[in-house]
Amino acid sequence: LEYYADVMTALGAATASSSEEIATGLEKFSAVAETIGLSYEYATSALATITATTRQSADVVGTALKTLFARMQDLELGKTLDDGTTMGQYSDNLAKIGVNILDASGNLREMDKVLDDLGARWDNLTEAQKVATAQGVAGIRQYTQFIALMENWDFMQQNLATASGASGALDTQADIYAESWEAAQKRVTASAEK
């Protein structure tokens, strides 16, 4: 639990989002993310990246990520999505830009790796390819958040580095607070009340 709190605290301090926003957004999609191979670090970093760059609420971003990842989960289960998309269509659309969502055995690859592949190719796509890919991956209603993530892939990478090195961030932030004017004021007030 401390590590999870460290990651949220570090990302909250490093971005224009807060640990509270990150926690709120994660509530929306963490169960789905785990089933498709999205690590905690990628989930929190993606959420912080989108929230910080779009300034949409964590609730909206979390719901968008839930929809995006639920699409992947449903396709893995062999369902046809509401918009008529099948695993074959989804896979073919991404294969056109050099991203494979299936491994050699035909199983869904971990989402961390799929996102890495998409992020590495994103800047080389035309605007039309970006919009088509985003709509195919995230659906018509949620593609703008996906575009925000991909357009800010360098920031996402910075956030991943922050998340990976987050151990002890909660203690560091607590120490900073303990030395702050607000904490000193509360100590004086408590001492006076005593």
Side-chain angles (χ1 to χ4, degrees):
L1 282 175
E2 188 173 333
Y3 173 71
Y4 293 131
D6 282 342
V7 170
M8 285 189 281
T9 302
L11 286 171
T15 66
S17 55
S18 68
S19 54
E20 182 180 349
E21 285 178 309
I22 295 167
T24 299
L26 282 174
E27 288 176 10
K28 297 288 184 185
F29 73 97
S30 60
V32 173
E34 186 177 336
T35 63
I36 60 162
L38 185 71
S39 68
Y40 178 71
E41 292 78 12
Y42 271 72
T44 52
S45 296
L47 182 69
T49 299
I50 297 169
T51 302
T53 56
T54 65
R55 292 313 307 150
Q56 291 178 319
S57 74
D59 195 50
V60 168
V61 175
T63 300
L65 290 172
K66 176 184 172 184
T67 301
L68 186 151
F69 298 131
R71 285 173 64 84
M72 290 291 291
Q73 183 181 34
D74 286 349
L75 286 171
E76 183 179 28
L77 297 172
K79 296 179 183 175
T80 299
L81 301 178
D82 292 342
D83 62 3
T85 302
T86 64
M87 177 61 96
Q89 293 167 324
Y90 198 94
S91 181
D92 289 347
N93 286 339
L94 289 176
K96 287 177 186 174
I97 61 168
V99 176
N100 293 315
I101 61 167
L102 302 175
D103 62 19
S105 303
N107 297 318
L108 191 65
R109 291 175 59 214
E110 290 182 356
M111 183 52 68
D112 290 6
K113 294 176 181 172
V114 173
L115 286 175
D116 282 339
D117 288 352
L118 278 164
R121 288 167 177 74
W122 190 258
D123 286 339
N124 297 323
L125 301 178
T126 66
E127 290 304 312
Q129 287 174 313
K130 288 178 180 181
V131 170
T133 300
Q135 287 180 349
V137 169
I140 298 296
R141 286 182 237 125
Q142 307 297 348
Y143 80 97
T144 56
Q145 287 85 359
F146 182 76
I147 287 177
L149 178 63
M150 290 293 111
E151 289 291 324
N152 294 287
W153 191 251
D154 290 342
F155 186 41
M156 169 71 175
Q157 295 297 308
Q158 292 171 8
N159 290 335
L160 278 171
T162 299
S164 296
S167 292
L170 189 60
D171 290 337
T172 301
Q173 290 296 318
D175 290 343
I176 290 169
Y177 175 77
E179 293 177 15
S180 72
W181 173 251
E182 182 182 351
Q185 195 174 24
K186 286 182 180 181
R187 284 191 301 269
V188 168
T189 302
S191 186
E193 287 173 356
K194 199 173 187 180

